[in-house]
């Protein structure tokens, strides 16, 4: 059964607890109660266990039941006096001002509901710089938490129905009060709630995002390559519990959408991309309960999770194929593509496998060949069979009902094959397709008939209708480098988005990258922007390696952060990782076995979390060598350095989140000329100014204040830079504000040119 996710878009008011939630005053509260406990001879731990969230008099009655009411009130006044006299260190809780700014901008009414008396509440809020439009204290509400009286009174005064009010609390009594009032709750401090944000800043982001339609628009996505992300049970193989344990890391980074590579039951000959049961979670990844827990935990943090739909082919261990291979008369025979041998007894046509050799394997049991564009253990499905189409429809419905928020579509343009299975023409002698991740022989053909057939759009349109019923997201893996051709996959009611792989399929050539991005931007506002994935060498390595490669990759991330569409990170990119080193003979990639220079192992080595054996990825022996990572490559090694790649990417995403409302009303992106050889775009009131070149740019006048600088962590939205700047090689800025006049076209580059055309695997 699908677990219901809290829809923040239905929230009409926010009701906040004060101490420990909106105001960081726990230390002052504890000091006052500790002093009081000593004066009254009460055990301090007993006092602190019940004091939070309750009026002082209620706490006194529970601790000292023998006191008469006059003495109770005197003891409560003494406790208040201790708190009045101690406002040292009382500040706004982290993210409080960001949350209140979002509430005001969204026009959402808010109130503070506290068990403190009016004088104390006003003093603490004043010390924190907070002036609530509605404040309910012990002076207004006689009953303390967990009684719902305070929250019900606040809702009544605001004129909002209780189910439309979000209660934000940091204690069990406060959460109980919200629930008793019939209100959804956001629980801080890791407590269980319909929503469990790590802090108020994250809640501000989620409320902001809840007003963005569709929800994936301008979202930050993160690819988890499951075998290598985090191992929860010590067997050396990444799994779903490992991901669950790292969700706070992803939320803190600013991730909105997590893409999980295949978790379905599989013999793992291609590490999950050979599916043997589309409706079962493989035990090696933790099984069914582990997925349910991951989805629940991600949704409580306000994150979405998409799966990896692998339906161009299955594993030869799939029951469908076992039945199909048993007899030409089996009902599943037409789920796959079978043909008689050619007159010479060989394969039916000249199509090739990505992994080398013919794309056909003879089945001795029936005397026919079956098609496989990948490994022989991965037979291709027959998408011209209506029964197969209906089966996959049901698979999609099943997982969306289970709680997945959509799918990345593996090999999305491969499903339909030429009806007559005609030969592919060879490319002229000496010409090769601009493709990586395939064998050299595959690159010598023009793949006119085996992939990218027009009929595939009808399949995507069918899936889109299913996804839209579930408010789910479909993003395609379409290896089409021509952005105009790629745009056809996301137009009208087809896929919601598709990865553009121009930055994945290139080394560093600043002028070429500049031109390619301009063409992609002009083609569609619905693309997904990505520099790397588990199938290609990491961007840092392709862009020159070491510090230079990291600076280049970061500059492109700053540029990508402004583009309309979805911004994606591949695990480890936030650390500036290049390819890991895998000694000869220790790899696991079947493509690398066929053609070593195309091995994908270097991009798949385990995620480095902390120094030491296993790098925090596993307590056991990792399934793939650890990549020879140094301490500085790890999350722990970078998290305390404000200039580290991790913290720079974190600053970038934080700035993007904080200012996300500025371009939200427009997908229009204009290239502008700033009188210097920089790449500059403007979208609404946000700008990106990036020096992609390897030379310093002469001084230029900033057209708006800089709120992010890849080279200077001191530049923030609260401490912007203005005036003239010189940009070092690959230095990148985000600007906010400036003139609203139409931008000056970039005369240096002119209109968007054509990106290099061609299909790649």
């Amino acid at each position: 059964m699908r677990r219901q996710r809290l829809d923040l878009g239905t929230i009409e008011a926010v009701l906040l607890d004060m101490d420990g939630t909106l105001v960081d005053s726990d230390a002052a509260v504890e000091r006052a109660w500790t002093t009081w406990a000593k004066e009254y001879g009460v055990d301090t731990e007993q006092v602190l266990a019940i004091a939070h969230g309750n009026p002082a008099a209620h706490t006194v009655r529970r601790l000292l039941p023998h006191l008469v009411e006059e003495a109770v009130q005197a003891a409560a006044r003494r406790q208040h006096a201790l708190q009045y006299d101690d406002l040292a260190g009382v500040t706004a809780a982290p993210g409080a001002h960001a949350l209140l700014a979002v509430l005001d901008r969204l026009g959402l009414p808010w109130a503070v509901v506290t068990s403190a008396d009016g004088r104390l509440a006003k003093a603490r809020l004043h010390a924190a710089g907070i002036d609530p439009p509605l404040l309910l204290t012990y002076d207004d509400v006689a009953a303390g938490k967990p009684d719902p009286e305070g929250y019900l009174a606040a809702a009544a005064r605001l004129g909002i129905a209780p189910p439309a009010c979000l209660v934000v609390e940091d204690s069990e009594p406060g959460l109980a009060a919200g629930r008793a009032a019939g209100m959804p709750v956001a629980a801080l401090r890791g407590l269980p709630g319909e929503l469990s944000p790590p802090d108020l800043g994250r809640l501000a982001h989620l409320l902001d995002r809840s007003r963005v339609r569709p929800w994936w628009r301008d979202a930050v996505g993160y690819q988890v390559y499951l075998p290598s992300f985090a191992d929860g049970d010590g067997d050396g193989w990444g799994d779903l519990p490992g991901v669950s344990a790292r969700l706070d890391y992803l939320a803190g980074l600013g991730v909105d959408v997590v893409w999980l590579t295949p978790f379905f039951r599989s013999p793992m000959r291609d590490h999950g991309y050979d599916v043997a049961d589309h409706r079962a979670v493989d035990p090696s990844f933790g099984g069914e309960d582990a997925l349910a827990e991951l989805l629940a935990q991600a949704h409580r943090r306000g994150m979405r999770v998409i799966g990896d739909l692998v339906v161009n082919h299955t594993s030869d261990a799939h029951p469908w194929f076992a039945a199909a291979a048993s007899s030409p008369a089996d009902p599943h025979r037409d789920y796959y593509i079978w043909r008689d041998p050619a007159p010479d007894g060989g394969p039916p046509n000249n199509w090739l496998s990505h992994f080398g050799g013919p794309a056909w394997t003879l089945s001795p049991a029936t005397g026919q060949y079956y098609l496989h564009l990948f490994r022989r253990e991965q037979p291709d499905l027959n998408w011209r069979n209506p029964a197969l189409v209906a089966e996959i429809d049901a698979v999609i419905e099943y997982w969306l009902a289970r709680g997945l928020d959509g799918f990345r579509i593996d090999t999305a343009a491969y499903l339909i094959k030429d009806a007559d299975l005609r030969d592919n023409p060879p490319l002229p002698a000496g010409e090769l397709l601009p493709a990586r991740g395939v064998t050299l022989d595959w690159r010598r053909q023009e793949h006119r008939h085996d992939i990218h057939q027009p009929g595939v759009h009808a399949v995507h349109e069918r899936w889109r209708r299913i996804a839209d019923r579930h408010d789910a997201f479909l993003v395609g893996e379409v290896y089409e480098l021509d952005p105009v051709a790629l745009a056809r996959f996301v137009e009208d009611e087809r896929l919601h988005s598709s990865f553009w792989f121009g930055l994945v399929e290139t080394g560093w050539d600043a002028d070429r990258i500049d031109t390619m991005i301009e063409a992609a931007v002009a083609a569609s506002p619905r693309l997904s922007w990505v520099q790397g994935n588990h199938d290609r060498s990491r961007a840092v390595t392709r862009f020159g390696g070491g510090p230079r490669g990291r600076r280049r990759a970061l500059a492109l991330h700053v540029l990508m952060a402004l583009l309309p569409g979805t911004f994606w990170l591949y695990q480890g990119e936030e650390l500036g990782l290049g390819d890991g080193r895998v000694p000869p003979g220790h790899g696991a990639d079947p493509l690398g076995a066929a053609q070593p220079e195309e091995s994908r192992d270097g991009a798949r080595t385990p995620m480095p979390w902390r120094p030491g054996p296993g790098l925090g990825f596993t307590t056991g022996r990792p399934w793939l060598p650890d990549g020879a990572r140094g301490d500085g490559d790890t999350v722990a090694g970078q998290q305390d350095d404000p200039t580290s790649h991790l913290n720079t990417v974190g600053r970038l995403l934080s700035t993007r989140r904080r200012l996300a409302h500025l371009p939200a009303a427009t997908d229009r992106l204009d290239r502008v000329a700033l009188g210097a050889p920089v790449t500059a775009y403007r979208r609404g009131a946000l700008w990106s100014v990036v020096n992609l070149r390897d030379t310093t740019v002469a001084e230029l006048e900033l057209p708006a204040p800089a709120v992010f600088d890849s080279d200077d962590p001191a530049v923030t939205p609260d401490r912007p830079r203005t005036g003239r700047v010189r940009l070092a090689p690959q230095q990148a800025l985000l600007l906010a504000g400036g003139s609203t006049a139409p931008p000056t076209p970039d005369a240096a580059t002119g209109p968007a040119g054509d990106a290099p055309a061609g299909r790649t695997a």
Side-chain angles (χ1 to χ4, degrees):
M1 180 179 293
R2 183 182 179 89
R3 297 186 182 221
Q4 292 300 311
R5 180 190 311 107
L6 174 60
D7 181 3
L8 288 175
T10 65
I11 297 300
E12 298 177 26
V14 176
L15 310 181
L16 297 128
D17 171 52
M18 184 179 72
D19 290 319
T21 297
L22 191 59
V23 175
D24 193 357
S25 55
D26 280 358
V29 172
E30 290 187 7
R31 284 195 300 269
W33 276 111
T34 299
T35 300
W36 182 93
K38 291 177 181 177
E39 292 180 359
Y40 281 82
V42 181
D43 179 71
T44 301
E45 290 187 7
Q46 183 183 3
V47 173
L48 296 180
I50 66 171
H52 191 88
N54 285 303
H58 286 215
T59 302
V60 172
R61 290 190 191 99
R62 292 180 61 184
L63 294 168
L64 301 172
H66 61 280
L67 293 183
V68 298
E69 186 59 23
E70 183 178 351
V72 168
Q73 295 301 327
R77 287 194 296 272
R78 174 55 182 159
Q79 205 281 333
H80 285 152
L82 290 168
Q83 295 196 51
Y84 297 148
D85 294 338
D86 185 4
L87 295 177
V90 173
T91 60
H97 288 296
L99 172 62
L100 301 183
V102 166
L103 295 178
D104 289 342
R105 178 162 47 76
L106 296 177
L108 284 175
W110 60 279
V112 175
V113 179
T114 175
S115 297
D117 70 18
R119 177 186 168 194
L120 179 60
K122 290 174 183 177
R124 284 197 176 138
L125 290 166
H126 178 76
I130 296 171
D131 182 18
L134 176 61
L135 172 63
L136 275 75
T137 70
Y138 181 55
D139 300 341
D140 307 288
V141 181
K145 301 167 185 175
D147 192 282
E149 180 186 4
Y151 286 125
L152 289 172
R157 292 200 191 183
L158 292 174
I160 306 294
C165 295
L166 177 69
V167 167
V168 186
E169 275 278 4
D170 74 318
S171 71
E172 290 286 5
L175 295 172
R179 292 188 180 103
M183 301 174 181
V185 297
L188 302 176
R189 302 180 186 269
L191 295 172
E194 285 87 343
L195 199 65
S196 299
D199 54 42
L200 296 180
R202 177 70 178 175
L203 179 59
H205 171 64
L206 296 176
L207 282 165
D208 223 4
R209 291 289 310 165
S210 73
R211 270 57 184 176
V212 176
R213 294 290 186 266
W215 60 260
W216 52 86
R217 174 178 172 154
D218 292 327
V220 174
Y222 189 97
Q223 182 194 349
V224 166
Y225 184 66
L226 265 176
S228 295
F229 185 66
D231 170 21
D233 61 7
D235 65 356
W237 176 258
D239 51 34
L240 296 166
V243 180
S244 293
R246 300 294 183 177
L247 286 176
D248 284 337
Y249 168 79
L250 297 178
L253 187 61
V255 171
D256 301 305
V257 190
V258 179
W259 155 29
L260 303 173
T261 54
F263 50 73
F264 312 106
R265 190 178 296 275
S266 167
M268 300 296 168
R269 294 190 182 98
D270 195 17
H271 310 127
Y273 283 91
D274 48 327
V275 178
D277 186 342
H278 285 94
R279 297 196 186 205
V281 179
D282 197 272
S284 72
F285 290 128
E288 307 293 333
D289 290 345
L291 178 64
E293 180 65 14
L294 170 58
L295 294 177
Q297 293 295 338
H299 292 159
R300 287 188 190 118
R301 289 162 174 80
M303 288 188 284
R304 310 275 183 149
V305 181
I306 67 173
D308 208 325
L309 189 65
V310 185
V311 290
N312 172 72
H313 50 267
T314 70
S315 166
D316 62 356
H318 199 294
W320 294 346
F321 188 76
S326 67
S327 166
D330 188 275
H332 290 90
R333 183 71 169 187
D334 200 35
Y335 277 34
Y336 298 88
I337 299 173
W338 301 86
R339 290 296 185 273
D340 291 330
D344 64 359
N349 65 19
N350 72 343
W351 294 0
L352 298 171
S353 162
H354 281 236
F355 295 108
W360 297 91
T361 290
L362 182 65
S363 174
T366 61
Q368 284 190 313
Y369 282 87
Y370 64 87
L371 177 68
H372 54 89
L373 294 183
F374 294 88
R375 298 187 68 171
R376 62 185 299 169
E377 296 91 354
Q378 294 169 289
D380 278 33
L381 291 166
N382 176 19
W383 276 90
R384 297 184 184 277
N385 179 0
L388 182 277
V389 172
E391 288 268 20
I392 301 303
D393 284 357
V395 167
I396 295 172
E397 291 272 12
Y398 174 79
W399 288 111
L400 297 182
R402 285 278 305 269
L404 280 182
D405 299 294
F407 291 98
R408 174 260 193 186
I409 313 298
D410 185 63
T411 55
Y414 278 32
L415 309 178
I416 302 293
K417 278 73 173 175
D418 177 68
D420 297 322
L421 302 181
R422 289 171 288 180
D423 281 356
N424 284 325
L427 290 173
E431 287 192 19
L432 293 173
L433 285 178
R436 307 297 298 177
V438 291
T439 59
L440 191 60
D441 285 345
W442 198 93
R443 297 174 63 194
R444 291 191 173 108
Q445 279 189 355
E446 179 188 349
H447 292 271
R448 185 182 300 176
H449 301 302
D450 53 350
I451 62 175
H452 290 241
Q453 303 302 295
V456 77
H457 296 307
V459 178
H460 296 165
E461 289 163 359
R462 184 183 183 104
W463 291 345
R464 173 69 177 269
R465 291 191 290 273
I466 297 173
D468 285 350
R469 289 200 300 272
H470 293 268
D471 191 27
F473 178 45
L474 300 179
V475 56
E477 182 204 27
V478 180
Y479 264 97
E480 176 61 79
L481 296 186
D482 175 4
V484 174
L486 179 62
R488 290 194 283 272
F489 286 83
V490 298
E491 66 186 8
D492 302 324
E493 298 302 312
R494 294 173 179 174
L495 298 174
H496 296 106
S497 184
S498 184
F499 293 110
W500 176 64
F501 292 112
L503 298 180
V504 176
E505 293 293 340
T506 186
W508 188 258
D509 181 329
D511 292 330
R512 181 171 183 268
I513 287 173
D514 204 348
T515 301
M516 290 168 66
I517 290 175
E518 190 170 14
V521 163
S524 174
R526 290 169 53 176
L527 300 183
S528 280
W529 306 99
V530 62
Q531 289 189 40
N533 58 36
H534 64 288
D535 281 334
R536 296 293 184 272
S537 175
R538 287 184 174 272
V540 167
T541 295
R542 286 184 285 106
F543 294 161
R548 172 176 286 188
R550 285 192 289 274
R551 284 187 66 83
R552 290 169 168 174
L554 179 62
L556 290 180
H557 275 137
V558 176
L559 187 55
M560 289 162 55
L562 187 72
L563 304 182
T566 310
F567 173 106
W568 289 88
L569 291 166
Y570 173 49
Q571 65 184 51
E573 285 186 348
E574 72 274 22
L575 299 172
L577 297 183
D579 289 344
R581 291 199 293 274
V582 178
H586 290 77
D589 180 22
L591 178 60
Q595 194 159 324
E597 66 272 21
E598 294 294 340
S599 175
R600 301 167 293 184
D601 287 323
R604 299 177 175 186
T605 57
M607 178 78 173
W609 294 100
R610 61 177 182 268
L615 296 176
F617 163 72
T618 184
T619 57
R621 180 179 180 181
W623 74 283
L624 198 62
D626 64 15
R629 305 293 188 191
D631 292 359
D633 294 323
T634 66
V635 172
Q638 295 192 27
Q639 61 188 4
D640 294 328
D641 177 3
T643 65
S644 70
H645 202 90
L646 174 62
N647 283 319
T648 304
V649 171
R651 282 194 298 113
L652 170 64
L653 297 183
S654 176
T655 303
R656 185 181 188 268
R657 288 195 301 276
R658 182 164 171 182
L659 303 175
H661 61 284
L662 293 178
T666 179
D667 281 334
R668 174 171 174 169
L669 190 76
D670 295 296
R671 180 152 186 169
V672 293
L674 297 180
V678 295
T679 301
Y681 286 93
R682 195 184 81 186
R683 183 179 173 204
L686 280 184
W687 309 62
S688 62
V689 179
V690 182
N691 178 15
L692 294 176
R693 277 71 189 174
D694 290 330
T695 56
T696 299
V697 173
E699 280 196 350
L700 60 88
E701 184 74 26
L702 293 178
V707 293
F708 169 86
D709 184 338
S710 61
D711 287 6
D712 187 354
V715 176
T716 70
D718 296 320
R719 292 176 293 178
R721 172 183 296 158
T722 58
R724 300 184 66 81
V725 299
R726 292 169 60 90
L727 294 184
Q730 288 86 51
Q731 187 174 358
L733 309 176
L734 287 182
L735 318 179
S739 171
T740 57
T744 303
D746 191 338
T749 58
D754 293 331
R759 298 166 180 162
T760 69

